[in-house]
Amino acid sequence: QVQLVESGGGLVQAGGSLRLSCAASGRTFSSYAMGWFRQAPGKEREFVAAISWSGGSTSYADSVKGRFTISRDNAKNTVFLQMNSLKAEDTAVYYCAKSLYGGSSWSSVSHYDYWGQGTQVTVSS
């Protein structure tokens, strides 16, 4: 069983930054890729970023490429999402998730089996 707890969300002005954290329980954390997804009101959950089990490979949605950075600390069972140059359209509930696989290429929700409860990010324009 894996439990994921996100933190770091909040209200920020456009152009600002936030850093999300996701703390994971369980000894298998370092064996699997991790991802961040987001869901805005009335929209489907969408992929944001993923990182391989080692941290050596990452992937991003085109909408956040160059602005967001995903990283992980396997010693602390934590994955991070640094969000810079935030835009109003980044407003959403952000979820971290554990992948079924070790690589970072998985961008579909069906490739992830454990999810956190989500943290709200609101960007005011």
Side-chain angles (χ1 to χ4, degrees), residues 2-124:
V2 175
Q3 288 188 324
L4 303 172
V5 179
E6 301 97 335
S7 61
L11 173 64
V12 63
Q13 288 188 335
S17 299
L18 282 175
R19 189 191 196 206
L20 305 184
S21 299
C22 174
S25 65
R27 294 181 294 175
T28 61
F29 173 80
S30 60
S31 299
Y32 296 94
M34 296 292 294
W36 285 96
F37 289 74
R38 67 187 182 187
Q39 188 166 18
K43 295 187 176 182
E44 293 188 352
R45 192 168 298 189
E46 65 173 3
F47 171 76
V48 174
I51 187 166
S52 63
W53 67 273
S54 67
S57 177
T58 58
S59 60
Y60 297 91
D62 287 343
S63 59
V64 306
K65 205 170 291 183
R67 300 187 297 122
F68 290 11
T69 302
I70 188 172
S71 60
R72 67 190 296 163
D73 184 339
N74 284 343
K76 296 183 178 179
N77 278 15
T78 305
V79 62
F80 305 97
L81 185 68
Q82 178 67 44
M83 306 186 294
N84 299 329
S85 301
L86 282 161
K87 305 175 182 180
E89 50 263 44
D90 295 318
T91 295
V93 177
Y94 283 71
Y95 299 89
C96 73
K98 171 194 160 295
S99 174
L100 290 162
Y101 313 106
S104 67
S105 303
W106 312 105
S107 60
S108 169
V109 295
S110 63
H111 296 145
Y112 294 80
D113 56 353
Y114 288 96
W115 296 81
Q117 82 289 349
T119 185
Q120 176 71 47
V121 171
T122 303
V123 184
S124 63

